[in-house]
Amino acid sequence: MKVKNLIIGAGVTGLSAAYHLQKLGKKDFAVLERAAEPGGVCASVTHKNFTFDYGGHVAHARRAYTRELLKKLLGKNAALIKRKAWVYLQNTFVPFPFQANLSYLKPEIVEECVTALVAARKHKKHIFENFADFALSSYGEGIYKYFMRPYNEKLWRAKAEDLSCVWCADFVPQTDMEDIVKGAYFKTRASYGYNTDFIYPKTGGIGALARALAAETENIFYNTEVKKIDAVKKMVFTNKGIFEYENLINTSPLKTFVSACGGLEKNIYEAAKELKNNKVYVLNLGVNRAVENISWVYFPEDKFKFYRAGVQSGFSPSVAPEGCGAPYVEISAAGNSKKPDFKKLEKEITAALKDAGILKNEDKILAALWLEINPAYVTYDARREIVVPQIIAALKEKNIYGVGRYGAWEYSFMEKNILDAKELAQKL
Ligand SMILES: Cc1cc2nc3c(=O)[nH]c(=O)nc-3n(C[C@H](O)[C@H](O)[C@H](O)COP(=O)(O)OP(=O)(O)OC[C@H]3O[C@@H](n4cnc5c(N)ncnc54)[C@H](O)[C@@H]3O)c2cc1C
């Protein structure tokens, strides 16, 4: 088959590219997806009458365009939900963002954090060497020690000093000193950041969004896995045959894409080998009780194996049978680590969730499903900042466009993916 625009992947990015090409009347495209269904990381899985997602997956719609698109796609199935998020530290639920709600902690910790904050802000920098430098300079030793460092090192599986901070603007709520001090002495329950409210489908899990987008899009080839790309002849080799293209839109992981792509300069293959990532294991649980209506909780402490736990049935009760609940936990692991002992881990996790009061001793586990996301978070080390632009530019010279969380090898979210793919469709 020969098309003008060929898209690898039917996750939200690939679907958005196709949807917007089609809207522009440019129907000469095809989407190749190795799975049997759309969604990628944003799919949902049905298991023992529960609908499970790949970890906490909610749609942010900060831009009017995305809000309208989500409304159009989901229609009456869209629910607008207010975030109910906490940080669990020293047996206490501190409202998120941590730095704006210190008053929930012991007075001596509050004092330590506020004193360090005031000292840090005296010499506040505007250019930072790495994430540790950014967090220390912005929030001081106390907030850094109790939350910023342990949480981020657990999530990224990298040292705070080895992480850049280019991702922080979108993901770390920026907090004025006045707000931190106010929140240190009064229970203001300040709530801000990029996801204070979000959209989630009333039924069908987050996968309903990808399915709605796919339903509006033609020319999707499922069960079609890209094995090799010839960047010179502009051909893609799949288990279903050969596709020729003028432009190739890649949303599959950049690292594996480059290794499967023939016809690039040698230094690009070397550069791609430097890309690092973590992987995330999600344990989805189905329990015989409607678990408390919380969105999610961040766990910075080492004694908890997971960095975040949440309750999917808090976003939408319909993901669980009536009277039941669906909590989940997300565990990060190094990209090259071996699979853990899931049975053992499951026991430790249910005990830890009981410890934190998210599960109760009498709760019965009706379903347990592990899902793996690999890659999950791309590692923002100093080399990423150099090699990703090199690789993306080299591919662009061959009319190959890397877009999306994994195609552009970035820390991004569905709204950005949808908008970036729309912009690319318009350019092409
Ligand atoms: C734990 C976690 C929680 C998250 N929570 C949120 C959240 O709450 N809100 C939010 O907005 N974002 C969230 N995100 C980010 C969000 O999941 C991604 O930004 C988004 O799903 C990326 O979509 P994508 O289409 O770019 O990539 P993907 O979803 O990875 O899609 C790529 C597609 O390409 C296919 N593919 C790969 N290789 C091949 C091949 N060789 N041949 C054919 N097909 C191939 C895959 O099967 C897949 O369907 C989260 C991410 C993680 C890891």
Side-chain angles (χ1 to χ4, degrees):
M1 190 174 181
K2 198 171 181 170
V3 290
K4 184 166 166 89
N5 295 305
L6 186 60
I7 301 165
I8 303 180
V12 283
T13 309
L15 290 172
S16 168
Y19 173 86
H20 287 101
L21 282 170
Q22 190 171 304
K23 241 180 109 186
L24 292 163
K26 308 285 177 197
K27 291 193 178 182
D28 190 7
F29 68 81
V31 185
L32 311 180
E33 170 55 57
R34 71 176 166 201
E37 287 185 5
V41 186
C42 174
S44 300
V45 181
T46 307
H47 178 69
K48 295 190 176 174
N49 296 324
F50 288 85
T51 302
F52 293 133
D53 294 345
Y54 284 74
H57 257 97
V58 300
H60 317 121
R62 284 180 286 183
R63 303 278 192 84
Y65 178 81
T66 341
R67 268 198 301 277
E68 286 311 307
L69 180 64
L70 294 180
K71 262 194 222 159
K72 180 179 164 233
L73 291 170
L74 291 172
K76 288 191 177 143
N77 199 22
L80 182 68
I81 295 169
K82 229 179 156 31
R83 180 186 74 194
K84 298 185 199 87
W86 284 268
V87 173
Y88 190 70
L89 184 78
Q90 301 190 340
N91 304 323
T92 306
F93 284 92
V94 179
F96 181 82
F98 179 78
Q99 63 271 28
N101 293 290
L102 297 172
S103 54
Y104 288 74
L105 296 162
K106 288 183 192 139
E108 58 271 26
I109 298 182
V110 176
E111 172 111 22
E112 184 187 346
C113 291
V114 172
T115 310
L117 168 79
V118 173
R121 291 274 169 122
K122 269 192 195 151
H123 310 285
K124 192 170 183 326
K125 296 185 189 172
H126 296 284
I127 295 173
F128 310 103
E129 281 172 32
N130 50 45
F131 175 70
D133 191 26
F134 158 79
L136 276 167
S137 158
S138 308
Y139 300 111
E141 284 274 3
I143 293 170
Y144 180 67
K145 175 175 104 184
Y146 289 108
F147 181 66
M148 294 284 172
R149 177 196 270 277
Y151 176 73
N152 281 289
E153 291 191 344
K154 201 196 246 192
L155 167 72
W156 293 95
R157 292 282 154 196
K159 286 242 151 276
E161 291 79 4
D162 294 339
L163 289 169
S164 75
C165 53
V166 292
W167 53 276
C168 295
D170 266 343
F171 292 98
V172 181
Q174 309 295 306
T175 319
D176 290 341
M177 184 145 124
E178 287 79 4
D179 287 343
I180 301 181
V181 174
K182 225 188 269 170
Y185 298 104
F186 301 98
K187 292 198 164 38
T188 55
R189 296 223 47 174
S191 173
Y192 43 83
Y194 68 101
N195 53 13
T196 48
D197 51 35
F198 51 82
I199 292 171
Y200 193 83
K202 286 182 188 160
T203 60
I206 195 64
L209 172 60
R211 288 195 297 276
L213 200 47
E216 299 273 322
T217 310
E218 295 166 15
N219 306 341
I220 307 177
F221 294 79
Y222 292 107
N223 302 307
T224 305
E225 181 163 13
V226 173
K227 305 276 190 191
K228 263 193 200 164
I229 305 100
D230 185 329
V232 178
K233 291 189 183 143
K234 296 192 167 184
M235 284 175 157
V236 164
F237 300 84
T238 77
N239 56 328
K240 296 275 177 78
I242 300 170
F243 291 76
E244 290 183 60
Y245 62 85
E246 270 179 45
N247 300 309
L248 183 59
I249 299 175
N250 172 49
T251 75
S252 75
L254 188 61
K255 190 176 171 116
T256 41
F257 175 86
V258 169
S259 70
C261 185
L264 304 173
E265 298 291 333
K266 195 170 164 237
N267 66 320
I268 299 304
Y269 297 107
E270 294 304 316
K273 283 184 196 151
E274 296 196 60
L275 300 177
K276 293 198 195 96
N277 61 275
N278 75 357
K279 53 186 166 185
V280 165
Y281 296 107
V282 180
L283 173 61
N284 290 286
L285 294 172
V287 300
N288 67 336
R289 176 178 61 90
V291 184
E292 271 68 36
N293 182 1
I294 54 175
S295 303
W296 52 80
V297 185
Y298 300 96
F299 285 84
E301 288 166 315
D302 259 354
K303 64 176 177 172
F304 295 98
K305 289 262 157 65
F306 40 90
Y307 64 86
R308 189 164 76 151
V311 180
Q312 206 190 318
S313 48
F315 312 149
S316 154
S318 77
V319 299
E322 216 181 320
C324 297
Y328 64 86
V329 303
E330 295 165 2
I331 298 170
S332 165
N336 54 5
S337 58
K338 282 195 198 138
K339 275 202 195 322
D341 178 343
F342 288 123
K343 273 266 160 280
K344 189 170 158 235
L345 206 49
E346 199 172 307
K347 267 194 187 160
E348 287 174 20
I349 288 166
T350 43
L353 288 175
K354 285 177 182 170
D355 225 33
I358 294 176
L359 286 183
K360 294 193 169 144
N361 279 334
E362 59 275 20
D363 284 344
K364 261 201 182 143
I365 307 292
L366 306 176
L369 180 71
W370 284 96
L371 295 171
E372 181 178 342
I373 310 173
N374 184 17
Y377 288 77
V378 312
T379 309
Y380 273 71
D381 56 12
R383 289 302 293 162
R384 180 207 169 272
E385 308 317 321
I386 295 165
V387 299
V388 168
Q390 275 173 7
I391 301 170
I392 295 288
L395 292 176
K396 207 168 158 191
E397 273 177 26
K398 307 267 184 212
N399 289 26
I400 300 173
Y401 301 88
V403 63
R405 180 165 169 128
Y406 304 109
W409 205 256
E410 62 181 18
Y411 182 16
S412 59
F413 46 97
M414 292 183 276
E415 180 175 30
K416 180 173 189 298
N417 304 149
I418 289 171
L419 294 173
D420 287 352
K422 170 180 177 261
E423 194 183 318
L424 177 59
Q426 283 163 342
K427 271 189 198 152
L428 292 178

